[in-house]
Amino acid sequence: MSTTDDPGLAPLPLSVRMQRGDLFSDQCPSREVLKHVTSRWGVLILVALLGGTHRFSDLRRKIAGVSEKMLAQTLQWLEADGFVDRKAYPVVPPHVEYSLTPLGREVGEKVEMLADWIEFNLPRILAADAAS
Amino acid sequence: MSTTDDPGLAPLPLSVRMQRGDLFSDQCPSREVLKHVTSRWGVLILVALLGGTHRFSDLRRKIAGVSEKMLAQTLQWLEADGFVDRKAYPVVPPHVEYSLTPLGREVGEKVEMLADWIEFNLPRILAADAAS
DNA sequence: GTAAGTACGCACAAAAAGGTAAGTATGAAA
DNA sequence: TTTCATACTTACCTTTTTGTGCGTACTTAC
């Protein structure tokens, strides 16, 4: 099966698939996409891949704390959304390379800006935490 | 109690609180902040508040699908992180106004850029979904 | 001979997130 | 007089997410 594991993504009419999404409405599929992109590991994967192609185990080592299961799953979400490109070489010790598609590079950049902002402004945020 | 409900935020030494965060490392507090900001309702709250001050029930109506519980909880996270300002008027039917702090406006803008990108590019993404 | 590395899938379990319903105080509208 | 609206909190339960450990097929290094 090559379809998504999510049974909620029934075939939508073309007219709907042409429209801009609306995150404020309940049923909008953009919420699913947002979920994948902003998921715990999705953010880190996108940022990591902005730095270039990585193998599965490279990502696993770079992103401290991910389990193999979650890394695989999140990569599959991002692949299904068209953000990540997976290239598998049928060699004996498995060899798979992950990279961003053009679409993935675009979201990745937005995500990275957010991630960078948080990293850079952590001190200001922690100061707020302490004051609360 | 005015501290966070999260027992994991023990008092950190000042020297640590001055440093830039690193999302790739496991224990970095920036991951907590990221979690709040990119949480299911956090994104929507920040974007909504970029449009101006809102009352609790205004937010509830604008963000289709949030429960009161999650709205309250997410607002508390964002308040503790210094992104949201809560102003309560001690009148009989409760009246509370939420707005963004300067810090909140900064993250909010990053988040909005991501949200906008997703909404605008939904058609391209759904096309990828269909092709998978 | 045996352990390690690779890129996962699967079953089971724990943890976290989320939803629902009810309660609160009080004034105003129906 | 019953109902509604406000801004939550709390208890309880369900759903979702995440982690853990094991298995795989084969090669290389020890």
Side-chain angles (χ1 to χ4, degrees):
Chain A
M1 254 146 288
S2 59
T3 55
T4 307
D5 58 358
D6 190 326
L9 279 174
L12 294 165
L14 184 74
S15 58
V16 170
R17 278 189 277 113
M18 303 281 293
Q19 293 168 31
R20 179 196 166 97
D22 175 19
L23 285 168
F24 284 116
S25 63
D26 208 353
Q27 305 296 331
C28 185
S30 59
R31 286 211 179 159
E32 270 299 299
V33 177
L34 182 72
K35 184 157 80 185
H36 299 160
V37 167
T38 63
S39 68
R40 180 162 181 199
W41 308 114
V43 173
L44 301 182
I45 290 173
L46 289 171
V47 173
L49 290 183
L50 269 182
T53 298
H54 283 68
R55 295 184 58 174
F56 186 87
S57 50
D58 290 339
L59 287 172
R60 179 156 171 44
R61 276 184 287 267
K62 181 158 193 170
I63 302 171
V66 224
S67 63
E68 298 192 343
K69 177 188 165 186
M70 288 316 299
L71 182 55
Q73 180 164 119
T74 309
L75 282 168
Q76 285 166 12
W77 289 340
L78 297 177
E79 195 193 348
D81 288 337
F83 298 141
V84 163
D85 187 40
R86 186 190 119 108
K87 224 168 261 168
Y89 300 88
V91 291
V92 175
H95 183 107
V96 181
E97 290 181 354
Y98 291 95
S99 56
L100 293 181
T101 62
L103 203 61
R105 233 166 288 130
E106 291 182 39
V107 228
E109 280 161 18
K110 311 292 173 189
V111 167
E112 195 186 31
M113 283 187 224
L114 174 62
D116 275 350
W117 187 92
I118 291 176
E119 287 183 337
F120 187 74
N121 291 280
L122 227 208
R124 290 166 74 194
I125 300 168
L126 292 183
D129 275 334
S132 71
Chain B
M1 249 151 291
S2 59
T3 55
T4 306
D5 57 358
D6 190 326
L9 279 173
L12 295 164
L14 183 73
S15 57
V16 171
R17 279 189 276 112
M18 304 279 293
Q19 292 169 31
R20 178 196 166 98
D22 175 18
L23 284 168
F24 284 116
S25 63
D26 209 353
Q27 305 296 330
C28 184
S30 59
R31 287 211 178 158
E32 271 297 299
V33 177
L34 183 72
K35 183 157 80 184
H36 299 160
V37 167
T38 63
S39 68
R40 180 162 181 198
W41 307 114
V43 173
L44 301 182
I45 290 173
L46 288 171
V47 173
L49 290 183
L50 269 182
T53 298
H54 283 66
R55 296 184 58 176
F56 186 87
S57 51
D58 290 338
L59 287 172
R60 181 156 169 42
R61 275 184 287 267
K62 182 158 193 169
I63 302 171
V66 225
S67 63
E68 297 192 342
K69 178 189 164 186
M70 289 315 299
L71 182 55
Q73 178 164 121
T74 309
L75 282 167
Q76 284 167 9
W77 287 339
L78 297 176
E79 196 194 347
D81 288 337
F83 298 141
V84 163
D85 186 41
R86 184 190 121 110
K87 224 166 260 168
Y89 300 88
V91 291
V92 177
H95 184 109
V96 181
E97 290 180 355
Y98 291 95
S99 55
L100 293 181
T101 62
L103 204 61
R105 230 166 291 128
E106 290 182 40
V107 228
E109 280 161 19
K110 311 291 173 189
V111 167
E112 195 186 31
M113 281 187 227
L114 174 61
D116 274 350
W117 186 94
I118 290 177
E119 288 183 336
F120 186 75
N121 292 282
L122 226 208
R124 290 167 74 194
I125 300 167
L126 292 183
D129 276 334
S132 72

